[in-house]
Amino acid sequence: MSTDRIEKSVLLRASRERVWRAVSDAGEFGTWFGVKFEGQFAPGAQMRGVIAPSHVNPAQDKAQQPYANLPFEIVIEEIKPQTLFSFRWHPYAVDPQKDFSAEPSTLVVFELKDSEGGILLKITESGFDKIPLDRRAKAFSANESGWAMQAETIAIYLKQ
């Protein structure tokens, strides 16, 4: 088992265009992910928002409830239409008293691949080995379960 990366995959029974829109449009992404963003995704964009209920997956909303209205920031890394969307962030940056900006970020990548019955969405987050030791294990553990829940949530969202 790697300590540096988390990988999750989910088969989404939707068209490539529909999955792509759910992943790469800031409004749609925020709806299922549980964040209200300001602005649209574009390479290099520094996106700011707040954690908010998704109203898609009750289990996710319950898990995120303690963090409601906390600032949420990502930097869009790469957008390859219909194929790949990636961003950087500070994993598990949920302590409002701490400035995480000096820490290394992790890279989150969403890759779309055709698969029998739909689109296989692979979610990879890498770079945990560079996170400060005092919070590395907690960030990894929180995001390991978080990405499993997010994979489930996007599947629910696309069935609506």
Side-chain angles (χ1 to χ4, degrees), residues 6-121:
I6 297 167
E7 294 181 354
K8 302 292 178 191
S9 293
V10 59
L11 179 63
L12 301 170
R13 303 206 180 275
S15 70
R16 176 178 286 270
E17 292 78 17
R18 181 67 191 104
V19 173
W20 179 249
R21 204 168 56 245
V23 169
S24 66
D25 177 88
E28 286 207 34
F29 182 95
T31 297
W32 64 266
F33 196 85
V35 174
K36 288 184 182 178
F37 282 111
E38 301 168 5
Q40 287 300 316
F41 293 157
Q46 294 185 353
M47 302 297 299
R48 289 180 174 78
V50 294
I51 297 173
S54 71
H55 304 294
V56 173
N57 182 345
Q60 175 184 315
D61 287 347
K62 183 178 179 183
Q64 288 182 328
Q65 202 287 322
Y67 312 110
N69 297 312
L70 280 181
F72 186 91
E73 296 182 7
I74 62 175
V75 176
I76 307 305
E77 186 82 6
E78 187 175 13
I79 299 175
K80 290 183 182 175
Q82 308 285 321
T83 306
L84 183 141
F85 172 74
S86 65
F87 62 81
R88 293 195 162 277
W89 69 351
H90 298 286
Y92 199 63
V94 295
D95 181 349
Q97 306 304 314
K98 182 168 179 170
D99 178 8
F100 296 92
S101 63
E103 285 188 9
S105 60
T106 56
L107 177 65
V108 176
V109 179
F110 294 85
E111 293 177 271
L112 284 67
K113 297 188 187 251
D114 291 325
S115 185
E116 188 172 326
I119 298 297
L120 185 67
L121 177 65

